[in-house]
Amino acid sequence: MSYVEYDLNLADEDRRIRDAAHEFAAKVLRPAGRALDSLAPQEVVAPGSALYQVLRQASELGYTRMLAPVEMGGLGASPLTQHLVLEELAWGSLGLAAVCFLASFPAEAAFASGKQELIEEFALPYFRSGDGSLIGCWAITEPDHGSDTLAVVRPEMRVKGPGQVLARRDGDQWILNGQKSAWVSNAPIATHAVLNVHLDPRGGLERGGACIVPLNLPGICKGKPLDKHGVRSLPQGEIFFDDVRVPRRYLLVEEEEYCAMVERTLTAFNAGVSCAATGLARASYECALAYCKERVQGGRRIFEHQSVRARLFRMFSLVQASRALSRQVFVYNHSQLRAGQPGRLEHSIAAKVFCTNAALEVATLAVQLHGGNGLSKEYEVEMFLRDATALTVADGENALLAQVAASAL
C-alpha cells in the first residue's frame, strides 16, 4: 500500500507545495543526506560541503522561511502546509530537514517577540536573504543539564542551579560565561543562536532568560562537530562563552516570562519532531516495500510470503497512525501559538514519543526485511535505522518526556 492523502479537503495549492517539496527531497536531500552520512563530521561542515549547497537551494525555494509573511520574503505558510513540507523533507533526509528548519529559529523568535529592534536587526535580514548564508540554532542543552531544562515547565520536576551559561547584568548589557553541550544542533555552522541562559546562580534552572546572540561576537568559540551514530548530516557541537557582552535589547525574555517561553518552544518543537519522525518512518516503509517486491527468495518475490506481508502491514499501519496523530497535534498547536494562545505541550510530547517509537520499529523491520543487505551501507535502510535510534534520544529521552506529559493529564 502506498501513500494516500486522506484529507479530501486539502487545497490544490497545498498539494502543489507538498509535491514540489517531495521532488526536492528526492532529487536533492536524499542523495546529499546519504553522501554526508559517510563523511567525517569535520568534512560535513567544511567549506565546499554539499551541506551548504542544500541550504542555498532550500533557501531559494523558501523552505527555510516557511513562517515569515510573504511581504517579508517568506512563504507565509499555514501550519498544515508546514507539516506537509516538513514530512516530505524528512522523508528525504532527517538530518538535512532539521538543518533547514532550525536555520530560521533566531529570526522567527525575533519576529514573534514583536520587538521592532530585534525584527529589524535579526528577522528582516534573514527573511530577505535567499542564499542560505544566515543559519540559526537553539542553544539550550548543557553538559550537565540536558533533559533537566525540560523540567522547568513542571514545578514538581524542577532542578536546582546553577546553569552552565550564566548571564550577569552590567548596566545595559549582559555578560555571558559558560558553555553549551555538544548536542546543540546546527551549532558548528550557525551564525546566530537563540541562547537560553541562567540569570540567578542561587536559584533553580527556571530562573532563566533567552536571548538572540550573533555567534561572531568576541569571546565566543565552538568545539569540534560531534561524531555521532545517527543523523550525521545534522552538525552538532559545543559553544563556549567567555565574557561575551550582549546588549540587553537582545533578550527575548527575562525571568518572569522564561518558563512560558520554554513551554511554547517545546510545544512547537516536539510537534515538529513528531512530523519529522513520520517522514523517516515513511521512507523506511517505502524502501522496504520496494525491496520486497524485487527480492527473490524461495523461488518467488519475498513480498508474496505471508510473514513478510504481515510485517509490511504493521509498518504501513504505524506510518498512517503517526501521520494522523502528528498532523492533528502539529496543526492545532502551531495554530494556537500563532494566535497567541497557549498550546498543549503534553499532546506534542505524546505525538513525539509515539512517532519516534514508531519510526524505530518501522526502520528495524525494514532492516530485517532486507536481511543481510539491511546491514550494508549500500542500502538506505541501514542509515534510516541509525537515524531512528537517534530520534528516540533527541529532545529528551522518551521516558522523561512521557513523565512531563503525564504530569499534565
Side-chain angles (χ1 to χ4, degrees):
M1 290 178 282
S2 58
Y3 181 94
V4 172
E5 176 54 62
Y6 294 144
D7 185 355
L8 298 178
N9 296 316
L10 192 67
D12 290 341
E13 179 65 8
D14 278 327
R15 293 178 187 274
R16 184 194 66 77
I17 293 173
R18 180 201 62 200
D19 293 346
H22 181 78
E23 182 178 9
F24 176 70
K27 293 182 177 180
V28 177
L29 295 190
R30 182 69 63 83
R34 291 193 69 185
L36 291 169
D37 180 78
S38 66
L39 299 179
Q42 292 84 352
E43 294 176 302
V44 172
V45 302
S49 166
L51 175 63
Y52 302 108
Q53 179 62 29
V54 167
L55 270 170
R56 282 193 294 272
Q57 291 178 267
S59 182
E60 290 170 0
L61 293 168
Y63 298 143
T64 60
R65 305 187 306 280
M66 294 283 288
L67 288 178
V70 174
E71 60 271 20
M72 295 176 66
L75 292 186
S78 69
L80 175 58
T81 303
Q82 294 173 56
H83 189 280
L84 292 169
V85 171
L86 178 53
E87 181 187 325
E88 295 301 335
L89 299 190
W91 173 90
S93 169
L94 178 69
L96 292 176
V99 169
C100 293
F101 276 80
L102 282 167
S104 63
F105 186 44
E108 290 172 0
F111 181 67
S113 74
K115 299 177 180 179
Q116 194 59 35
E117 287 183 309
L118 294 182
I119 292 172
E120 292 179 0
E121 188 165 354
F122 298 114
L124 289 177
Y126 179 87
F127 294 148
R128 291 170 178 170
S129 172
D131 61 2
S133 60
L134 298 177
I135 305 169
C137 69
W138 181 22
I140 180 171
T141 181
E142 299 175 347
D144 296 330
H145 297 295
S147 300
D148 287 348
T149 311
L150 303 177
V152 304
V153 301
R154 295 289 179 259
E156 72 278 9
M157 299 173 66
R158 287 179 179 171
V159 178
K160 293 182 179 180
Q164 288 174 277
V165 173
L166 298 176
R168 176 172 57 86
R169 180 80 178 274
D170 184 21
D172 289 334
Q173 294 183 322
W174 289 91
I175 302 175
L176 311 178
N177 281 284
Q179 79 168 98
K180 291 298 180 178
S181 80
W183 293 103
V184 177
S185 298
N186 269 9
I189 60 172
T191 59
H192 296 77
V194 172
L195 176 69
N196 289 59
V197 298
H198 197 188
L199 301 179
D200 182 0
R202 298 165 298 178
L205 295 182
E206 73 277 6
R207 307 288 294 274
C211 54
I212 298 178
V213 180
L215 295 178
N216 61 353
L217 294 178
I220 297 178
C221 65
K222 300 177 182 178
K224 63 182 181 180
L226 188 63
D227 194 359
K228 301 175 295 178
H229 171 72
V231 201
R232 294 175 60 84
S233 57
L234 169 64
Q236 294 176 293
E238 299 164 306
I239 310 176
F240 299 89
F241 303 86
D242 183 11
D243 285 339
V244 177
R245 289 182 173 269
V246 298
R248 188 179 182 186
R249 69 176 187 275
Y250 283 7
L251 259 71
L252 295 162
V253 296
E254 297 189 34
E255 188 176 324
E256 297 78 12
E257 302 171 303
Y258 180 64
C259 291
M261 180 265 188
V262 171
E263 180 154 356
R264 289 194 303 270
T265 307
L266 291 174
T267 299
F269 269 60
N270 278 285
V273 173
S274 75
C275 176
T278 299
L280 176 61
R282 189 177 124 218
S284 301
Y285 164 70
E286 290 178 3
C287 282
L289 179 63
Y291 180 83
C292 290
K293 289 184 175 182
E294 295 174 357
R295 174 68 172 172
V296 175
Q297 193 74 33
R300 55 181 175 170
R301 297 177 305 160
I302 62 174
F303 177 76
E304 299 174 37
H305 294 279
Q306 186 177 24
S307 63
V308 170
R309 288 186 175 185
R311 278 177 279 184
L312 287 169
F313 183 78
R314 170 66 178 170
M315 296 162 73
F316 168 82
S317 300
L318 286 170
V319 171
Q320 298 301 323
S322 293
R323 180 183 292 116
L325 176 60
S326 174
R327 186 179 293 184
Q328 286 188 318
V329 169
F330 187 100
V331 171
Y332 173 83
N333 273 331
H334 279 258
S335 297
Q336 287 288 100
L337 295 172
R338 179 179 286 194
Q341 300 298 316
R344 298 299 296 269
L345 173 59
E346 64 273 20
H347 288 257
S348 285
I349 290 174
K352 188 270 181 186
V353 172
F354 179 85
C355 294
T356 53
N357 284 339
L360 180 60
E361 182 176 347
V362 172
T364 300
L365 288 170
V367 167
Q368 292 175 347
L369 288 172
H370 277 70
N373 286 333
L375 305 177
S376 169
K377 290 183 180 294
E378 181 181 349
Y379 290 82
E380 294 169 329
V381 292
E382 183 272 338
M383 180 182 71
F384 294 158
L385 179 56
R386 286 188 284 107
D387 288 354
T389 302
L391 262 188
T392 64
V393 179
D395 298 307
E397 294 187 14
N398 283 343
L400 176 63
L401 283 170
Q403 186 178 355
V404 173
S407 69
L409 297 179

